[in-house]
Amino acid sequence: MSEEHYLELCDSPVQFENASSVNNVFFDEANKQVFAVRSGGATGVVVKGPDDKNSIAFRMEDKGEVKCIKFSYENKILAVQRSPKSVDFINFMPDLPHSEFSQECKTKNATVLGFCWTSWNEIVFITDQGVEFYQVLPDKRSLKLLKSHSINVNWYVYCPETSVILLSTTVQGNVLQPFAFKCGTMSKMSKFEIELPVVTKPAKIILSERDIAVATIYGQLYVMYLKHHSRTGNNPGAEVVLYHLQREGACKRSHILKLNTTGKFALNVVDNLVIVHHQSSQTSFMFDIKMKDTDSNLNIHQPVLPARSIHPYKIALTGPAAVGSQTPVPCELYSSTWSVFQPDIIISASEGYLWYLQVKLKPVVSLLQDKSKLMEFLLRRRDCKMVILSVCSQMLSRGDKGSLPVVAIVFDKLNQVYKEYLEAEQSYTMAVECGPSRGSTAHKRPVRTQAVIDQSDMYTHVLSLFTERKDVSHKFIIAVLMEYIRSLNQFQITVQHYLYELVIKTLVQHNLLYMLHQFLQYHVLSDSKPLACLLLSLESTYPPAHQLSLDMLKRLSTANDEIVEVLLSKQQVLGALRFIRSVGGHDNISARKFLDAARQTKDQMLFYTIFRFFEQRNQRLRGSPNFTPGEHCEEHVAYFKQAFGEQAFIKPVTL
Amino acid sequence: ALIEEVGIGTPGMATGMQEKQYTPSLLNFFIYNPKFGPREGEEEKKILFYHPSDVEKNEKIRNVGLCEAIVQFTRTFCPSKPAKSLHTQKNRQFFFEPEENFWIVMVVRNPMVEKPNKEGKPPTIEYQEEEILDTVYGAVLQQCYSMYKLFNGTFARAMEAGGVELLTQKLEKFFYRYLQTLHLQSCDLLDVFGGISFFPLDKMTYLKIQSFVNRVEESLSLIKYTAFLYNDQLIWSGLEQDDMRILYKYLTTSLFPRHSEPELAGRDSPLRPEVAGNLLHYGRFLTGPSNLKDPEAKFRFPKIFVNTDDSYEELHLIVYKAMSAAVCFMISASEELGREFCEQLDGLVGPQLTLLASDICEQYNINRRVSGPDKEPQFKFIYFNHMNLAEKSTIHMRKTASVSLTSVHPDLMKILGDIHADFVRVDEDEEIIVKAMTDYWVVGKKSDQRELYVILNQKNANLIEVNEEVKRLCATQFNNIFFLD
């Protein structure tokens, strides 16, 4: 069963002092820091970050109840809100005075709903009457208003990743006005309306901030709206509606995630998957907006997998109750005290834990039967490589009937991603070679994600082991190898030599040499010197390999020396000489090598012919038929003289 | 290079009175085993098959006895290489011992010219003793055995299964029909090679075919071997080379022509597409049921025997065709094949093969366009590679069931045969250029395991020009193989 839990809480949660009457806990989504504020800060503030193990601890004056507390980026300036009108600041930079300074909101009679840092020294106040964008001048201990905008605000949501703030406006609260912040500028994006379910009693805020979340999915910014349907009627259940928020242009409703149930939900986004937690059933749904359901062309999505609960989690009890024995106890999942933050954070304030939600891919493999869908799903995940490779191995080891078409589809999907990466890499290399870019944008090297499964991955983790298997028919093994090569070819990816070697090894092992011959005949195994040499080595078991090898060397047109060697080794001395002459290389060959070979044949006439050829070459190149000492042919000259007599030598031409 | 000048007699020219030319023809064909009737008076038992059957018994015995004697006698000179043929004025006899003590003998009457004489006198007959080639007819004889073996298995197995009685029955049944299809007058060098014509194809399409074959073999696991042909040319063989060679011969000279002739004539129009599921396809069985929808359809397939040297397998031969693509599926003969299987195969293979066939056709046309139109060589040549049995001929037209047509004069074909015979005698690579009396030059080249024969018709060309011309041909047609100049 545990194999079925495809969601889990991370192993090393951030632990902090749990919330209590004397300890207030705050979470900053921008820096992912938990603030534990004891007695308004007088008895200490402890800040725990996401990965930095060393927490920050400090004290501050108790100037009233803290409503909100956040560091600017890199922990340079701390902002604390204690009153509805103003925000206090404390410098945390070493050389600047530590004392507090304060800023009141500019708009009269406005109430500050909250604030968000957009850089190390820029901050946005959100009031019920609009937004105010400030630059903090820590050395001057003051703030400078950069920009402001008046608008009635019910509540707001901030997406720190993109520095976008969504403001809820209008009476019903369902018209959302986004603002984007970047380097001292504030830009108003086009507002949009969330379509509410049928309203019975209007004129009251209906859209709650609890039902809105903002997150980036596949690099795009989405506003996620949890749409509860009234229980009456024949509504099938709640759904999550995704609005695609673009910098330019209107925000469009783009996806609908069907939950098919009702109740209390919370949203997370993990690895570009939308996770919807359902409290009453204590399970979570997983959606992948890139997964197309074939039955509709509208972007209506059903969960990828059946809903499952998060993997059971145990926490060590701390505190006086468990002194000594720290037996871990099961943690209550889907607790009503949980707070869920974007994109992937779950906080239990009462227990003092912050977890990251994680997706486990292994259980997905057994839950998602359709291999094509599974592969698409896995290829979009972050840590997918080993899982994909193990899926491939598994798929091949079973050797189910009719699995070849599936194998083909899987290979095609892998190679599509592989090809896209190769192309990006290639155009990057070309752009770099073309010199520095004329435009301002520097060339960005394409990122190699784990989804890029190349030939060496397949070879090392899947194919080389697979071909060793004794329990799979060799027919299937060869079919799979050919299918992989077909897929690579289809995507015009150059096949690496070691794959050919694997094919040849497998064919030779099963004595399927005629099959190998046919593959070579149709150039399925591309020409290369190593391949030609491999073929030469097969000659003793399969004589035609000799011809295949020579043909290949010939086609390469860069292997003339190898051809000569092969022919000489076969004692085809004349053939070798004729060949090298036909390609125009006969002025540079070693006379000694040919004469050696001719002597070995014990064919006197052949030796005579070869010797004569080189005498003529000497004559032509140097004006004398004699060999130079550097050619080391003395032995052969002596033999020639002995066999054919002094008069057989060509006479040097004397004028 | 060796140069020979050979005269060619003007063929069949009538001077005054009409001469009659007779082509070589089959006189006798018999199979015997000397061990079956070693005692006097039992000689008839040696004879397993005799054509023509109406020959008088004593004459049969005499002819068989003579062959036996010749073989025995010549064996004393060279025990390892028994006599292969006997030349006489009127005919030529070919001996072949395919299995121990089983001899097949073919007697071919030499071609002859009948010259009419003056009134009343019988015409003079001139036998042309040197016109027919041992290599060609020796090969034809071996092919007879191979074809028999393909459909019947070895003699020895028949003996084991049912003794002489079964063997003679099988021989009778097979050769009675087969000998009628022998067209001795049109046998030539290609019969010696017994090659396979391969369909030229790009790598990607070839891989698609591989993929198709593998998938079909996987889903219909009864299938042991598959062969794939397009336009009567081979693309893939799961069978070993020697078995494929004879199966290819059968397909291209017997089965395909039999089916293409009614097609060409537009009779029983088989090109109406079938519907499998929601897919249109043009697949149909060339062996087995001719129409699956016929409730009376028979599901019997010819049986073939392969790997007779070791595993000795008997297989059903299913030949299935869609447009120009034909696939042979071979299934162990011990399996029962019925309607259900055939329908399954038809449903699976029909649509895929139809698609593949149009893919191949399209790809082939693209390649042809790329390599330039009308690049049909003006050369007439025959190419053969002993290693993969690949053959290519621009001399031979389309083979039909009845005759193979060549575009050159038989005398030139004979020169090709002669050159080949020369090549067989020596082991080394060589080249022979022959100037025929007419304006033709005939060039033969042998490089490693390859042979190339070119016929050039160039008036006033000299040896050097001919040599250059052949080099040019090699550079354009054979640039991707290692072919020594």
Side-chain angles (χ1 to χ4, degrees), chain B residues 160-191:
Chain B
E160 277 168 36
V164 181
E165 201 178 327
L166 180 68
L167 179 60
T168 50
Q169 251 174 41
K170 278 177 169 257
L171 292 172
E172 194 68 46
K173 199 173 158 214
F174 177 80
F175 282 109
Y176 173 72
R177 280 187 53 194
Y178 185 73
L179 292 179
Q180 292 175 20
T181 66
L182 275 186
H183 296 278
L184 293 183
Q185 72 280 9
S186 54
C187 292
D188 60 36
L189 189 56
L190 283 196
D191 293 285

Side-chain angles (χ1 to χ4, degrees), chain A residues 399-405 408 475-476 478-479 482-483 485-486 489-490 500 511 514-515 517-519 521-524 526 542-544 546-547 550-551 554-555 563 567 572 575 578-579 582, chain B residues 196 198-201 203-204 206-208 210-211 214-215 217-219 221 223-225 234-237 239-241 244 385 387-388 390 429 431 448-450 478-485:
Chain A
D400 295 341
K401 210 176 166 196
S403 61
L404 269 181
K475 226 176 185 177
F476 185 67
I478 290 154
M482 292 316 285
E483 204 55 64
I485 290 176
R486 179 209 49 81
N489 271 292
Q490 191 155 312
Y500 292 145
N511 207 26
Y514 185 46
M515 209 180 253
H517 198 138
Q518 295 185 66
F519 289 157
Q521 201 175 317
Y522 280 95
H523 305 250
V524 167
S526 307
Y542 189 60
H546 174 74
Q547 190 191 64
L550 268 185
D551 288 350
K554 161 87 185 299
R555 284 191 297 268
I563 292 177
L567 292 175
Q572 296 184 16
R578 288 172 69 180
F579 167 73
S582 74
Chain B
I196 294 170
F198 286 92
F199 187 78
L201 202 60
K203 176 164 49 170
M204 196 54 229
Y206 182 81
L207 283 167
K208 276 191 201 163
Q210 273 297 315
S211 188
N214 289 335
R215 281 173 195 208
E217 287 189 2
E218 196 201 23
S219 31
S221 51
I223 297 171
K224 253 184 142 169
Y225 307 105
L234 186 67
I235 293 178
W236 166 252
S237 163
L239 280 184
E240 286 303 311
Q241 204 178 40
M244 193 61 229
N385 183 352
M387 282 300 177
N388 58 359
D429 292 356
E431 188 172 339
D448 192 23
Q449 299 293 316
R450 295 183 164 106
F478 303 104
N479 59 341
N480 58 350
I481 55 170
F482 185 79
F483 212 55
L484 267 182
D485 279 330

Side-chain angles (χ1 to χ4, degrees), chain B residues 141-165:
Chain B
L141 182 56
Q142 293 183 22
Q143 228 170 53
C144 289
Y145 171 72
S146 300
M147 199 62 88
Y148 168 84
K149 193 178 71 171
L150 179 68
F151 290 102
N152 296 281
T154 60
F155 296 158
R157 287 278 175 145
M159 288 295 297
E160 277 168 36
V164 181
E165 201 178 327

Side-chain angles (χ1 to χ4, degrees), chain A residues 53-125:
Chain A
K53 291 278 179 281
N54 9 334
S55 50
I56 306 167
F58 58 90
R59 283 169 204 275
M60 58 184 190
E61 263 181 80
D62 184 359
K63 290 186 180 170
E65 195 199 340
V66 173
K67 290 180 169 168
C68 185
I69 180 165
K70 289 170 185 176
F71 270 117
S72 76
Y73 294 161
E74 291 156 18
N75 303 333
K76 289 203 161 124
I77 304 163
L78 181 71
V80 188
Q81 187 195 354
R82 296 179 177 113
S83 82
K85 288 277 173 203
S86 64
V87 179
D88 307 323
F89 297 89
I90 305 165
N91 283 328
F92 267 71
M93 284 169 292
D95 303 328
L96 289 171
H98 202 69
S99 56
E100 286 187 25
F101 53 102
S102 181
Q103 175 69 43
E104 207 165 291
C105 67
K106 289 274 194 265
T107 321
K108 275 180 194 147
N109 305 323
T111 308
V112 177
L113 301 172
F115 61 87
C116 310
W117 287 102
T118 61
S119 80
W120 78 269
N121 68 345
E122 284 165 7
I123 191 164
V124 184
F125 289 7

Side-chain angles (χ1 to χ4, degrees), chain A residues 17-25 37-41 43 65 349-350:
Chain A
E17 192 183 343
N18 56 320
S20 65
S21 53
V22 289
N23 184 39
N24 285 332
V25 177
V37 183
R38 289 183 72 89
S39 324
T43 50
E65 195 199 340
S350 59

